[in-house]
Amino acid sequence: MKVVLFCGGLGLRLRDYSETIPKPMVTIGYRPILWHVMKYYAHFGHKDFILCLGHRADAVKKYFLEYDECASNDFVLSGGGKKVELFNSDIDDWRITFAYTGVDSNIGQRLKAVEKHLEGEEEFLANYSDGLTDVQLPEQLEHFHRHGKIASFLCVRPNLSYHMVSLDPGSDSLVSGIQAINNGSIRINGGYFILNRRIFEYIGRD
């Protein structure tokens, strides 16, 4: 099953971290967040990726074009540094499509732009490229198939220290309650989409 990853946004919330490094390429350990997301899907056997590129597309392309397997794998070096023997490999069986989908495009526009790369796929996976999970993907897929819907996504309880403020009905200033946002019933979109290709029937022009 193909995996569409949205990795072309401006990453405004990480601008203090870097003006030049796109959000998906911020590293965790030896590898960027994007790689960890891809590794998650590869773990469950989904290794055909479509990257929806935009802001700093060159950085994403360059990373994979110059990919160094030695950074996160054991190896033997010999021949005065001329010969490298890897004990295992990360991405040798991955297939990655790099598709430029614009700098200012929204998620729907990015998805529509790669529709041609999903020909023949009755269903596919999609995700943002900046969030990790330990959810069991086969269980999410089973849930999706059991309900027979067009789209599914993972919703999560926010792990934030913010508080939710309730206002009295008819008032825009009188506080009636305050509670920790992670103690209430609020859920946020955590990504990890499963989509039937009929989703394209619901994506309007622009």
Side-chain angles (χ1 to χ4, degrees), residues 143-196:
H143 178 272
F144 176 70
H145 293 146
R146 180 158 34 92
H147 286 82
K149 302 299 182 182
I150 294 173
S152 169
F153 67 90
L154 186 67
C155 60
V156 297
R157 187 191 300 272
N159 184 21
L160 303 169
S161 58
Y162 298 116
H163 287 78
M164 181 173 63
V165 178
S166 303
L167 301 179
D168 264 351
S171 169
D172 61 358
S173 61
L174 187 59
V175 175
S176 61
I178 300 175
Q179 66 172 330
I181 198 169
N182 55 0
N183 288 335
S185 60
I186 290 179
R187 297 292 185 273
I188 60 174
N189 175 8
Y192 293 86
F193 301 93
I194 304 171
L195 302 169
N196 184 287

Side-chain angles (χ1 to χ4, degrees), residues 52-115:
C52 300
L53 304 176
H55 173 65
R56 290 306 314 273
D58 60 308
V60 179
K61 291 178 180 178
K62 183 178 181 181
Y63 176 79
F64 285 102
L65 285 171
E66 299 177 356
Y67 191 80
D68 181 10
E69 290 277 17
C70 297
S72 53
N73 290 295
D74 294 341
F75 63 93
V76 174
L77 186 69
S78 60
K82 296 186 177 75
K83 184 179 179 182
V84 176
E85 300 173 69
L86 285 164
F87 286 111
N88 55 293
S89 176
D90 292 323
I91 69 170
D92 63 316
D93 57 349
W94 292 9
R95 184 176 187 271
I96 308 172
T97 300
F98 297 83
Y100 184 74
T101 57
V103 173
D104 299 317
S105 303
N106 62 39
I107 295 296
Q109 290 170 323
R110 293 190 193 284
L111 183 57
K112 187 68 176 176
V114 298
E115 180 180 5

Side-chain angles (χ1 to χ4, degrees), residues 5-23:
L5 295 175
F6 306 114
C7 43
L10 294 174
L12 297 177
R13 285 170 291 186
L14 274 178
R15 280 301 173 87
D16 289 340
Y17 174 85
S18 174
E19 285 284 343
T20 58
I21 300 175
K23 183 167 60 172

